[in-house]
């Protein structure tokens, strides 16, 4: 696909990169078959191929209409289309570029802008999320049922993990934002479990949100500032020999693995960002490389349905790792269907595109429940909270099974 860039994009790095990304699309439309929003809307503009044409039109005309923005906004960034595409189109990058350009060209209605500002002010900061959750729990009894189910119960992190100053191996944990406030048990459990392998897993002061919230909302510069802050906070530990940067939320993991590419033109950070991305590992990658025999002694009884997040399956191409680990330690797995489909959480999507998100959630819960499981496990905080908001079954991070 050839693109003739409009004059307004002369020398515009994002537009030039988007035009290059577009070139590998051969318009076959295979991607529509696995795109959750196309499956929901059956409108070509709500599938990857249609969105690619919308971005092409924007690049060539220098204009973005409300329709352009609407259909780009409806994309979940789940990247199922990348897994399906025979031409290797990097749709995720293209969608981010398209959103950044459309934000730049056409301003949003004031209410939409305000909502996005609030989201960007709130979610990347655990203290603010914690305060909101605290307030939500306080008023939960008087909230309408649909809203009250959105407020997760308070989660204890469990016994403080032992300090392991003498551990032979050191790893850095991404502190994160929403997860740190809503499910503090996840990183604490990861630390306890990795401790059994002589690994000291530590969060670093000054690190926080991976930057994905801002970045995927078109505020790319602010998203990259979060990345730089994390790199600065991690760098001393990296220089001291940390062997990995471990992410326990796959949505954050896919972002950290992208730091090298996203900051490749930043002279001050390019080399460090590349190193950080090389070191980034999802928790499943760390544990899959270990001898899990010790967990095989546990007698897991609860039949477990696995929801593999899109960011693990399509973003990090680690879809098989999670069920493989659980099978290795003897967790009885329940059958599921439509494993490739997004649950509708997708970061802030469940707030900004509530109707589509709700329909995807109902479809996903049905697909996870066909074999009557006792619980659902997943690997990303967004999915965990979203599924938990409507499921009658407990929804947990999978590391809790190894920690129990
Ligand atoms: S990222 Fe997901 S929602 Fe967006 S176009 Fe691709 S498959 Fe569809
Ligand atoms: S499957 Fe790939 S090449 Fe085919 S239309 Fe979709 S993005 Fe383009």
């Amino acid at each position: 696909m050839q693109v003739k860039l409009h004059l307004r994009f002369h020398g515009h790095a994002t537009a030039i990169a988007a035009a290059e990304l577009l070139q590998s699309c051969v318009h076959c439309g295979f991607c529509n078959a696995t795109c959750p929003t196309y499956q929901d809307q059956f409108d070509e503009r709500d599938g990857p191929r249609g969105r690619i044409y919308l971005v092409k039109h924007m690049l060539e005309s220098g204009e973005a209409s409300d329709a352009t923005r609407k259909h780009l906004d409806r994309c979940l960034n789940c990247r199922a289309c990348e897994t399906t595409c025979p031409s290797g189109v990097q749709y995720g990058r293209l969608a981010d570029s398209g959103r950044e350009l459309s934000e730049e060209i056409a301003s949003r209605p004031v209410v939409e802008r305000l909502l996005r500002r609030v989201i960007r002010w709130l979610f990347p900061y655990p203290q603010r999320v914690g305060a909101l959750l605290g307030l939500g729990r306080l008023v939960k009894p008087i909230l309408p049922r649909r809203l009250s189910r959105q407020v997760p119960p308070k989660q204890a992190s469990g016994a403080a993990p032992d300090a392991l100053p003498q551990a032979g191996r050191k790893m850095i944990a991404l502190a994160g934002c929403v997860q740190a406030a809503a499910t503090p048990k996840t990183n604490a459990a990861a630390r306890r479990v990795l401790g059994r392998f002589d690994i000291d897993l530590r969060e670093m002061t000054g690190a926080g949100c991976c930057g994905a919230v801002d970045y995927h909302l078109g505020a790319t510069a602010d998203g990259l500032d979060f990345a730089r802050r994390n790199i600065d906070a991690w760098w001393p530990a990296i220089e001291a020999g940390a062997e990995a940067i471990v992410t326990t939320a796959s949505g954050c993991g896919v972002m950290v693995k992208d730091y090298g590419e996203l900051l490749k033109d930043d002279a001050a950070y390019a080399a460090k960002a590349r190193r950080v991305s090389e070191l980034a590992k999802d928790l499943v990658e760390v544990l899959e490389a270990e001898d899990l025999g010790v967990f095989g002694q546990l007698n897991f009884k609860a039949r477990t349905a696995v929801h593999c997040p899109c960011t693990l399956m399509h973003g990090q191409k680690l879809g098989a790792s999670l069920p493989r680990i659980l099978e290795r330690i003897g967790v009885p797995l329940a059958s599921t269907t439509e494993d490739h489909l997004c649950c509708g959480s997708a970061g802030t999507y469940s707030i900004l595109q509530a109707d589509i998100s709700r329909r995807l959630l109902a479809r996903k819960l049905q697909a996870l429940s066909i074999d009557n499981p006792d619980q659902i496990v997943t690997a990303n905080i967004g999915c965990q909270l979203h599924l938990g908001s409507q499921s009658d079954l407990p929804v947990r991070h999978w590391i809790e099974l190894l920690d129990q």
Side-chain angles (χ1 to χ4, degrees):
M1 187 183 278
Q2 291 303 313
V3 182
K4 279 184 71 177
L5 271 186
H6 188 269
L7 271 180
R8 77 177 292 163
F9 295 127
H10 183 72
H12 194 302
T14 306
I16 294 168
E20 278 168 15
L21 290 169
L22 275 169
Q23 284 178 14
S24 43
C25 177
V26 296
H27 342 293
C28 64
F30 288 171
C31 47
N32 282 349
T34 54
C35 171
T37 55
Y38 182 78
Q39 300 292 317
D40 185 78
Q41 299 285 313
F42 291 105
D43 180 330
E44 176 72 16
R45 294 165 301 177
D46 285 316
R49 180 173 61 179
R51 292 188 179 113
I52 285 172
Y53 274 103
L54 290 172
V55 174
K56 180 178 189 286
H57 179 72
M58 180 166 59
L59 292 173
E60 293 186 329
S61 67
E63 290 168 8
S65 66
D66 288 350
T68 312
R69 204 173 41 225
K70 178 172 94 176
H71 296 292
L72 286 178
D73 282 352
R74 281 185 181 168
C75 169
L76 294 140
N77 254 44
C78 68
R79 293 167 64 176
C81 48
E82 285 191 13
T83 301
T84 313
C85 176
S87 296
V89 174
Q90 293 181 45
Y91 180 82
R93 280 195 210 295
L94 192 54
D96 282 330
S97 302
R99 276 190 283 262
E100 182 188 332
L101 293 171
S102 77
E103 292 289 331
E104 204 177 293
I105 297 171
S107 70
R108 288 179 180 277
V110 91
V111 176
E112 278 186 34
R113 263 186 287 153
L114 206 63
L115 178 57
R116 281 161 183 261
R117 275 254 156 230
V118 171
I119 287 172
R120 291 179 42 221
W121 175 84
L122 178 66
F123 287 108
Y125 303 95
Q127 292 85 351
R128 295 174 192 174
V129 178
L132 181 72
L133 287 175
L135 185 66
R137 287 179 192 124
L138 212 62
V139 298
K140 193 169 177 168
I142 56 165
L143 289 176
R145 183 176 152 77
R146 206 168 94 187
L147 212 54
S148 77
R149 294 197 69 148
Q150 306 290 329
V151 184
K154 192 171 168 60
Q155 189 190 63
S157 58
D162 294 335
L164 297 170
Q166 305 307 324
R169 301 166 65 189
K170 314 273 184 211
M171 294 188 185
I172 300 165
L174 173 77
C177 49
V178 174
Q179 178 174 279
T183 57
K185 192 172 185 179
T186 300
N187 269 13
R191 185 152 185 237
R192 284 188 287 266
V193 171
L194 292 192
R196 303 186 70 161
F197 299 97
D198 195 31
I199 297 171
D200 185 23
L201 182 71
R202 288 276 172 89
E203 293 176 3
M204 295 296 144
T205 311
C209 172
C210 65
V213 174
D214 285 83
Y215 197 84
H216 296 313
L217 285 175
T220 49
D222 290 344
L224 294 181
D225 280 344
F226 278 104
R228 292 186 188 96
R229 268 198 290 280
N230 286 341
I231 293 169
D232 287 341
W234 294 334
W235 200 249
I238 292 171
E239 288 194 309
E243 83 182 75
I245 296 164
V246 182
T247 49
T248 53
S250 57
C252 310
V254 83
M255 181 75 185
V256 177
K257 286 183 175 180
D258 241 7
Y259 281 3
E261 174 65 24
L262 301 177
L263 289 168
K264 68 176 189 291
D265 297 323
D266 181 327
Y269 281 88
K272 289 181 178 178
R274 206 169 42 243
R275 180 77 187 124
V276 161
S277 291
E278 285 165 6
L279 289 173
K281 279 194 166 65
D282 189 274
L283 187 58
V284 293
E285 289 174 281
V286 178
L287 278 167
E288 212 175 11
E290 301 300 328
D291 176 6
L292 301 178
V294 61
F295 296 105
Q297 313 304 318
L298 299 173
N299 189 10
F300 293 103
K301 289 211 168 57
R303 293 182 69 254
T304 302
V306 178
H307 167 61
C308 186
C310 304
T311 40
L312 196 63
M313 186 184 300
H314 308 300
Q316 302 190 54
K317 310 288 183 222
L318 292 169
S321 297
L322 177 49
R324 216 160 36 214
I325 290 178
L326 298 179
E327 273 175 343
R328 269 172 67 190
I329 62 171
V331 175
L333 298 185
S335 301
T336 54
T337 57
E338 300 203 299
D339 292 343
H340 65 285
L341 275 190
C342 177
C343 68
S345 164
T348 55
Y349 194 92
S350 55
I351 302 168
L352 296 169
Q353 302 288 337
D355 288 344
I356 299 177
S357 173
R358 257 197 306 274
R359 285 194 294 275
L360 290 175
L361 175 58
R363 186 170 168 173
K364 176 53 78 173
L365 283 175
Q366 199 175 10
L368 288 168
S369 308
I370 51 151
D371 198 16
N372 292 320
D374 301 308
Q375 62 180 354
I376 296 169
V377 296
T378 188
N380 188 50
I381 177 63
C383 311
Q384 187 179 345
L385 295 180
H386 194 52
L387 294 168
S389 72
Q390 294 303 317
S391 173
D392 294 326
L393 300 173
V395 183
R396 316 164 74 183
H397 192 285
W398 65 273
I399 195 64
E400 290 180 42
L401 302 190
L402 277 73
D403 184 44
Q404 71 192 13

